[in-house]
Amino acid sequence: MSVTEPSTTPAEDSPPAPAPATRTDAAPLGRASLLVAAAATAGWAALVSFVPLLVLVLLGWLLAGGAGAATSALRVAGAAWLLGNGVPIHTPIGPYGLVPLALTAFVAWRLVRAGGNTARALGDRRAALLGAVGVAVGYGLLAALLALLVSGPDVSVSAPRAFVTAGGLALVCAVSGAAHRSGMLRHIAGQLSPAVRAGLRSGGFAAVTLLGLGAFTAGGSLAWHADRAADTFRAYQAGPVGDIGLALLCLLYAPTVSVWAVAYLSGPGFAFGAHTAVGIGGVHLGPVPAIPLLAGLPTDAAPAAGALLLGLPLLVGVATGWLVARRDTGPGLTPLVFATALSGAVAGALFAVAGALSAGSLGGGQLATIGPSWWQLGLAVAGLVGVAAMAAGLTARTIARVRPHRTEDSGAGLGPTATPEAAGSVDPVADAGSSGPRTGPGGSGDGKAEAAQDPAADPAAHHQGPADGPGDEGGAGPAM
């Protein structure tokens, strides 16, 4: 009784599959394609970040009975969007420049996506940076146009300032997104030493942890003064709609207050008005606006036990140093010391930028100066985190005998982790299937028994999907 194997078409008889076209082989992109891609992504980023504000403002205007013209509501939404991009608003009582960092973070995320989408649409690494510049120019022009539309007799916005500020923010974010999408960040990370990669990673970890610690501190202080915040809500007597608006305003400024809390914990403190200071050692406050979020501001100096709050940034530095000690920074202790010092410098630089963004004004006069000093905050965070991380890292290596995991940091330490398939690893099962049946005098076992285990010789496995084409990984190959 003979068994007939299922008929299969050898891979050699089928024409080879055409190779996928790559943009590197294509003709260079024209200026029209680059401008269209940049304009589309910049416009979409502006629209996605502006529409939620517009919906909230129009909803509040409708619930309030439609008091005033609808164009006034549109101007309020436009002014809020420009403020989220860091553009100050000039009012009759003075400039309003205190940035809601929650809105700024959302805008920055959309701009990073815009830069990445532009690079993907262009498909050419050389044109990715030019596309990011195009996104910045288009976004800045949209901000300048909106500044002209918002300006009126009571509120004015400088169009050149809107172009420069919003365009600069778009340039930084779009270049970051384009570099990540095109693979330039992975290439740059592959050229860095393990100590530099460990310092950059750990510095970002320290900054994020400190910001979370500041948010926890600000939230705890607000909860401690919950009765004061409730009295502020009741004083407005704005009804459910007004209370929801106040709550949204507090949420938009929650990251800003979190940066103030980090300045409070790290020592420099912050100001809330001209000739004021809020710190652990003393508090000198003037008039405070009736905003529920500001009910958590301390009114007196911290007690003697409050000095322990300065130890919280040191604990973050200790955790950072321990993490650096677990990474492969290179042979010896010198790279470890450099990595821990770099982590403190990175955290300090990030908080210097955050301190500059969280400072502003709420009009003129007494409230013309609000927020921390950016350079004092940056130096304090860099010193506390860097020193604590260095001490903890050296202690972990020399006394605790912590050994680094050498498999964590590869060539592209800041990019996506390579999978075993991308690294060229061979699957034993797929390798056995692609090698074909082993027969002959030198083979071990019966050739028919090995052929019965071959997936290509099993009719059930043959009917599970289309025949494997040439070049497929793990394919069974032509039937023997």
Side-chain angles (χ1 to χ4, degrees), residues 236-271:
Y236 276 96
Q237 298 180 355
V241 178
D243 292 343
I244 293 175
L246 282 174
L248 290 176
L249 181 65
C250 294
L251 289 177
L252 288 177
Y253 279 99
T256 305
V257 178
S258 300
V259 177
W260 298 353
V262 174
Y264 180 83
L265 294 175
S266 57
F270 60 94

Side-chain angles (χ1 to χ4, degrees), residues 25-475:
D25 299 334
L29 292 172
R31 294 182 179 179
S33 301
L34 191 149
L35 292 177
V36 168
T41 52
W44 181 250
L47 185 65
V48 170
S49 57
F50 176 69
V51 166
L53 285 175
L54 181 60
V55 170
L56 290 175
V57 172
L58 289 178
L59 183 61
W61 176 72
L62 291 174
L63 292 177
T71 55
S72 299
L74 296 177
R75 292 177 60 195
V76 169
W81 184 82
L82 289 172
L83 186 63
N85 283 269
V87 182
I89 310 298
H90 297 278
T91 64
I93 62 174
Y96 191 96
L98 192 60
V99 179
L101 289 185
L103 180 58
T104 306
F106 180 71
V107 169
W109 172 62
R110 294 310 310 176
L111 290 172
V112 170
R113 293 289 302 272
N117 292 335
T118 304
R120 182 179 61 181
L122 297 176
D124 189 357
R125 179 179 294 183
R126 293 171 297 181
L129 294 180
L130 291 178
V133 174
V135 170
V137 172
Y139 193 83
L141 290 176
L142 290 175
L145 177 60
L146 187 59
L148 293 176
L149 296 176
V150 166
S151 298
D154 52 347
V155 174
S156 63
V157 183
S158 172
R161 175 67 181 272
F163 175 79
V164 173
T165 304
L169 176 64
L171 181 63
V172 174
C173 298
V175 168
S176 302
H180 175 73
R181 174 68 68 173
S182 62
M184 284 186 285
L185 283 182
R186 291 191 295 272
H187 176 72
I188 294 174
Q191 309 302 318
L192 300 177
S193 65
V196 174
R197 292 198 298 268
L200 293 176
R201 284 180 172 181
S202 303
F205 162 80
V208 173
T209 306
L210 271 177
L211 186 61
L213 187 62
F216 179 79
T217 304
S221 178
L222 185 60
W224 183 263
H225 301 92
D227 53 348
R228 193 189 306 173
D231 293 339
T232 305
F233 268 108
R234 286 191 294 266
Y236 276 96
Q237 298 180 355
V241 178
D243 292 343
I244 293 175
L246 282 174
L248 290 176
L249 181 65
C250 294
L251 289 177
L252 288 177
Y253 279 99
T256 305
V257 178
S258 300
V259 177
W260 298 353
V262 174
Y264 180 83
L265 294 175
S266 57
F270 60 94
F272 200 89
H275 308 292
T276 62
V278 180
I280 294 180
V283 176
H284 302 282
L285 277 177
V288 178
I291 299 176
L293 185 62
L294 301 179
L297 290 178
T299 55
D300 297 320
L308 297 177
L309 294 175
L310 292 174
L312 296 179
L314 292 176
L315 290 179
V316 174
V318 169
T320 303
W322 193 271
L323 289 178
V324 173
R326 292 175 60 86
R327 296 186 182 277
D328 183 15
T329 56
L333 295 178
T334 302
L336 175 65
V337 173
F338 174 77
T340 51
L342 181 60
S343 65
V346 169
L350 292 177
F351 266 99
V353 175
L357 292 176
S358 65
S361 61
L362 289 176
Q366 181 66 24
L367 297 180
T369 304
I370 295 177
S373 171
W374 64 270
W375 64 271
Q376 292 180 4
L377 176 59
L379 287 179
V381 170
L384 292 174
V385 173
V387 172
M390 190 180 302
L394 291 175
T395 302
R397 284 281 182 90
T398 57
I399 299 178
R401 302 295 181 182
V402 173
R403 291 294 174 257
H405 298 284
R406 299 184 181 275
T407 58
E408 288 184 1
D409 290 333
S410 56
L414 299 180
T417 305
T419 58
E421 290 81 7
S425 61
V426 179
D427 189 358
V429 178
D431 183 67
S434 60
S435 60
R438 300 172 182 170
T439 57
S444 61
D446 192 1
K448 295 181 180 180
E450 294 182 2
Q453 298 177 358
D454 191 358
D458 189 2
H462 175 75
H463 291 292
Q464 289 179 357
D468 295 330
D472 293 341
E473 295 183 3

